[in-house]
Amino acid sequence: MPNKNISRARFINNKLLGRKRDVEEKTCIEEDIREIRPLTMQLSTETTQDRQEVVEVCEDLYHLLKHEDIHLLKEFHRMYLDYSFTNNLPPQLKALDASQPWLLYWIGNSLRLMNPKWLSKNYQQGISEKLLNASVNGGPFCGGLGQLPHLICNYAAVTALALCDNYDDCWSKINVHGIYQWLLALKMPNGGFKTCLEVGECDTRGTYCALSVAAMLNILTPELCTGVEEFLIKCQTYEGGFGGCPQEDEAHGGYTYCAVASLAILGRLEVINVGSLMEWCSARQFNEERGFSGRSNKLVDGCYSYWVGGTAAILEAYGYGECIDKPMLRDYILKCCQTKERPGLRDKPGKSPDFYHTNYVMLGLSITEHNFKVQGSVNSIKCAPIKESAEIVPINPVFGLPSEDLEKFVRFYSH
Ligand SMILES: CC(C)=CCC/C(C)=C/CC/C(C)=C/COP(=O)(O)OP(=O)(O)O
Ligand SMILES: [Zn+2]
């Protein structure tokens, strides 16, 4: 028996472990190339056809608008946002009944990003009263009246309140201690956070929503952070971006942003493979469409201007350099995500504008207009305009809020 094993090992060693690799590689490569080239040229799938259509419509727009100096149509978009705060929302938005804090954050943030004064005292009153009425005792916050506290909605509610400039002392009404105890109870043995006490998924979104709220409310304790870094490290995939869960999903812009922003909050960006992350971010940007896709072989979408652009801005802020083309992204945003026909910003040509895309495309626009540099703490990221006239106010790319609002909110809880 031992003899048989030795001869088997010798066989593997001689035939399979590279002795003849040089010779084989030379013959294989040429044959492979001959076989692969026509394959890639002929491969036409639903995915490649969809992309071709998007490329054509974007290229038409770039051609049509090539001599125009396009700007963000701020007053036009303001009308869309104002209308939503002063009228009933259309019936199809019933589907977002469990995401009411999100609507308040998206709409409120979009107004404030264009002009801080456009989120009037009246609106700040409406936002804070609605949130504090829906969730008893000032949090943890839920998606709407009578619903269970939810980690993702809690993040949206806290960021929406951060936009309210402490209207009627609403910041004192946030139940910081209750939120802290609840966050601890959501912690999972693998270092992640589940979204609800009763039942809920666990992925990098939850980590970001827990950590960013904790950082803003000054409750980011070592106990809350135990095991979080290890959880996040395991979410980076061979592609360089991050999936939602350890060793499970493909890399995706949204989950990548959540992981990278969380690591920035922990002050631990250096524990991941930043080089492959930067290559992945860079590979998300298409030459033809000029905007980003969220994952390999998927279509361009305006919201990734923030999920991927924000990730790049965080890396830039921490001194890793730039890995995206900001002027190209700006073109996609202003020429393909905006039209003169309908206010609000959209995913891509052919899609309708919505509040989610309006907010994240505007945040992406801010990224194209600024350079980022951290100043001591994650709460204080300096945002220097690239040209003298920026259309969007400076933002903190870790929190998705105007820098001024974030800094004032954090200062409130710092003592
Ligand atoms: C703070 C917080 C909760 C952030 C969430 C970030 C996140 C996960 C964003 C992703 C949103 C999105 C466009 C998903 C679509 O996936 P898809 O499969 O329809 O789109 P694709 O084709 O572009 O991949
Ligand atoms: Zn989108």
Side-chain angles (χ1 to χ4, degrees):
M1 218 33 155
N3 274 349
K4 223 175 170 188
N5 275 348
I6 288 168
S7 61
R8 185 172 154 73
R10 261 194 214 122
F11 174 83
I12 292 173
N13 211 19
N14 289 346
K15 306 279 181 201
L16 304 176
L17 290 185
R19 278 271 170 98
K20 296 190 172 172
R21 195 174 279 156
D22 276 357
V23 180
E24 281 176 6
E25 276 183 0
K26 272 181 199 139
T27 54
C28 278
I29 284 173
E30 299 206 346
E31 280 166 16
D32 282 354
I33 289 171
R34 271 202 299 279
E35 277 172 22
I36 289 168
R37 194 177 290 138
L39 245 183
T40 55
M41 288 193 307
Q42 284 163 17
L43 193 68
S44 175
T45 65
E46 217 179 310
T47 311
T48 62
Q49 287 158 17
D50 286 351
R51 164 137 199 261
Q52 202 42 45
E53 279 174 28
V54 177
V55 168
E56 278 162 26
V57 69
C58 292
E59 283 179 341
D60 285 351
L61 279 169
Y62 293 134
H63 183 70
L64 194 74
L65 302 171
K66 81 171 168 246
H67 297 302
E68 291 198 32
D69 183 22
I70 310 257
H71 291 275
L72 188 68
L73 304 168
K74 292 211 235 181
E75 293 287 353
F76 194 42
H77 302 313
R78 182 188 185 184
M79 273 170 26
Y80 170 63
L81 301 162
D82 271 343
Y83 187 87
S84 72
F85 266 166
T86 45
N87 291 273
N88 289 335
L89 292 173
Q92 62 269 30
L93 286 195
K94 268 190 191 150
L96 293 183
D97 182 57
S99 302
Q100 293 176 44
W102 278 107
L103 287 166
L104 299 176
Y105 161 66
W106 295 330
I107 299 167
N109 204 38
S110 302
L111 282 166
R112 212 138 164 95
L113 288 171
M114 290 192 288
N115 183 339
K117 292 198 188 97
W118 287 356
L119 191 73
S120 65
K121 290 279 161 227
N122 243 352
Y123 289 164
Q124 289 173 329
Q125 176 179 11
I127 292 173
S128 52
E129 285 180 358
K130 188 171 173 65
L131 289 168
L132 291 162
N133 287 338
S135 298
V136 281
N137 304 329
F141 293 93
C142 57
L145 197 60
Q147 299 174 20
L148 294 172
H150 190 283
L151 186 54
I152 312 291
C153 291
N154 185 66
Y155 157 82
V158 171
T159 46
L161 285 165
L163 298 169
C164 292
D165 199 20
N166 200 17
Y167 179 86
D168 194 24
D169 205 20
C170 64
W171 291 352
S172 303
K173 296 175 191 152
I174 298 181
N175 179 4
V176 178
H177 182 68
I179 292 177
Y180 179 64
Q181 293 301 331
W182 175 73
L183 291 177
L184 279 180
L186 293 175
K187 259 180 92 78
M188 301 287 286
N190 67 355
F193 291 83
K194 57 183 169 178
T195 48
C196 265
L197 280 184
E198 292 72 8
V199 57
E201 66 272 34
C202 170
D203 55 47
T204 64
R205 288 171 313 151
T207 305
Y208 172 69
C209 290
L211 261 53
S212 60
V213 162
M216 288 188 275
L217 300 182
N218 197 17
I219 47 174
L220 192 73
T221 62
E223 193 182 3
L224 193 71
C225 298
T226 311
V228 175
E229 176 184 323
E230 290 74 12
F231 174 88
L232 293 170
I233 289 171
K234 290 185 200 140
C235 294
Q236 186 168 27
T237 79
Y238 70 94
E239 286 191 278
F242 288 68
C245 306
Q247 287 132 0
E248 264 184 43
D249 313 322
E250 71 181 299
H252 186 282
Y255 296 101
T256 298
Y257 172 81
C258 289
V260 173
S262 299
L263 285 159
I265 291 170
L266 293 173
R268 298 290 287 156
L269 279 170
E270 70 277 11
V271 298
I272 53 165
N273 186 338
V274 174
S276 73
L277 171 62
M278 290 176 85
E279 277 178 29
W280 182 84
C281 287
S282 173
R284 300 279 55 76
Q285 190 160 24
F286 291 112
N287 273 333
E288 293 81 355
E289 299 91 316
R290 307 182 189 178
F292 299 130
S293 69
R295 46 187 165 140
S296 299
N297 296 318
K298 298 287 294 204
L299 301 176
V300 68
D301 178 341
C303 64
Y304 298 119
S305 307
Y306 185 66
W307 301 127
V308 178
T311 302
I314 294 171
L315 296 175
E316 183 193 329
Y318 281 84
Y320 291 104
E322 279 191 45
C323 58
I324 57 168
D325 189 321
K326 293 181 181 179
M328 295 266 277
L329 177 61
R330 189 176 176 80
D331 257 0
Y332 180 70
I333 290 175
L334 293 176
K335 296 178 181 163
C336 296
C337 297
Q338 163 174 272
T339 63
K340 287 188 184 133
E341 285 72 45
R342 278 182 76 174
L345 300 167
R346 61 187 179 181
D347 158 347
K348 62 173 75 53
K351 298 268 183 178
S352 298
D354 59 64
F355 302 122
Y356 162 83
H357 284 95
T358 300
N359 178 52
Y360 290 111
V361 172
M362 279 188 197
L363 283 168
L365 185 60
S366 184
I367 285 164
T368 70
E369 298 184 319
H370 295 95
N371 285 321
F372 298 89
K373 179 120 193 59
V374 71
Q375 304 241 288
S377 111
V378 69
N379 305 323
S380 167
I381 292 184
K382 191 164 176 286
C383 199
I386 293 172
K387 289 194 189 136
E388 59 287 354
S389 58
E391 319 217 34
I392 301 285
V393 301
I395 62 153
N396 183 309
V398 175
F399 295 92
L401 285 168
S403 307
E404 215 179 310
D405 287 322
L406 188 259
E407 283 167 30
K408 196 165 173 190
F409 192 55
V410 167
R411 220 176 302 127
F412 183 84
Y413 296 98
S414 65
H415 27 73

